[in-house]
Amino acid sequence: MASLARLRHIKRLAIPRAAFQVRSVQTTADTTQLHNKPDDVHTGAPMTVRLHEDSFKGYNCEIPDLEVQITKDELLEMYKQMQTVRRMEMAADALYKAKLVRGFCHLAIGQEAVSVGLEHGITKTDRVITAYRCHPFAIMRGGTIRGVIAELLGRQDGMSHGKGGSMHIFTPTFFGGNGIVGAQVPIGAGVSFAQKYLGEKTCTFALYGDGASNQGQVFEAFNMAKLWNLPTVFVCENNKYGMGTSAARSSSNTDYYTRGDKIPGLQVNGMDIIAAKRAVEYARKWAVDDEKGPLLLEFVTYRYGGHSMSDPGTTYRTREEVQRMRSTQDPIRGLQKYIEEWGVATEQELKALDKEAKAEVDQAVEEAKQSPEPQSVDLWSDIYYKGTEPPRMRGREREEVG
């Protein structure tokens, strides 16, 4: 036993230090600088800002231009949307703790710059598919807060009529949260195949986490997408932990943007929403306008809560680490700093937006609570796509099974 203990000690010492090196792309939320401002931002004229030089790192591709044009209205819209998304997730947290939401529930508090930034970089006809941390994408892609909360509560007003729960919410351009780890990646590639087959000038963003990055089906999807030159943007939301395991303990290569083999990649500061938006615009141009095929984006981000509501999130990382990220690298605080320092809006005006977001979420929660639960007849609905239902639906009868 003593010799076994010494062997374990030697193995621990032999772990290469490179596995624990700091990431190459920075994740500070407020390092973008104002480069050129119109005389009056309230006219709607765009201002020019410059992203931090370490906002991106490329693999077999050039990084996006660091100069970005953005308007007052878009900055304020992104701020309101991020606040609304966070308020919605906080409401879901409270409802779960009150035992009004049961089952699985995975929240995206801390990762708002990815979902909101993504929406501001794509078109309404592009497609998005993701894993189970899906609530923000659902409302950004045409869903409603009431629909998300009602779905969590298992009510008829839910986006899947209360029968899908946290991980199964869809819109015509959002192909859902998906509960099987990594399974949405090949589905996303399939959606892209359909887009190319139909001659659409659109693409699909297929999101997955660092915890799903080692799935075989992910690499198989990479291979087919590159072989067929599909307009797929594979997006790794690297929040540093797959469930309770740090990236360095699960992946021999934690530079996920380099893992597409022949597919070029881009690592992105996922805590600065302007960097996130710029990266998505670059990726869409790559896949759609320039027809260069697939691209792999890695957003380096962070989740404040645990993997799910059943995970306290502090057994595999320290409370100090979480608090440091909250206090120094929060994406909403970073955007707030930009807005105030660039003279786009005052602190009081932003507080008014905060109040509006809270009121909107509070109202949606109350409306969702009033929604009735599904009825027994609902067990036989939504089995087939509308218009393709058979005349009647039944189970197998004795004559069928012999």
Side-chain angles (χ1 to χ4, degrees), residues 43 48 114 138 148 172 187 229-230 237 265 307 310 360 385 389:
T43 63
T48 303
V114 176
V148 169
I187 295 174
N229 204 46
L230 301 181
E237 284 188 280
H307 169 71
S310 61
E360 183 180 357
Y385 184 77
E389 302 94 340

Side-chain angles (χ1 to χ4, degrees), residues 69-86:
Q69 287 198 327
I70 196 162
T71 65
K72 166 197 172 183
D73 289 345
E74 188 170 18
L75 287 168
L76 293 179
E77 183 181 25
M78 291 192 299
Y79 179 83
K80 172 72 178 299
Q81 288 170 336
M82 283 208 291
Q83 282 285 16
T84 302
V85 164
R86 181 168 294 184

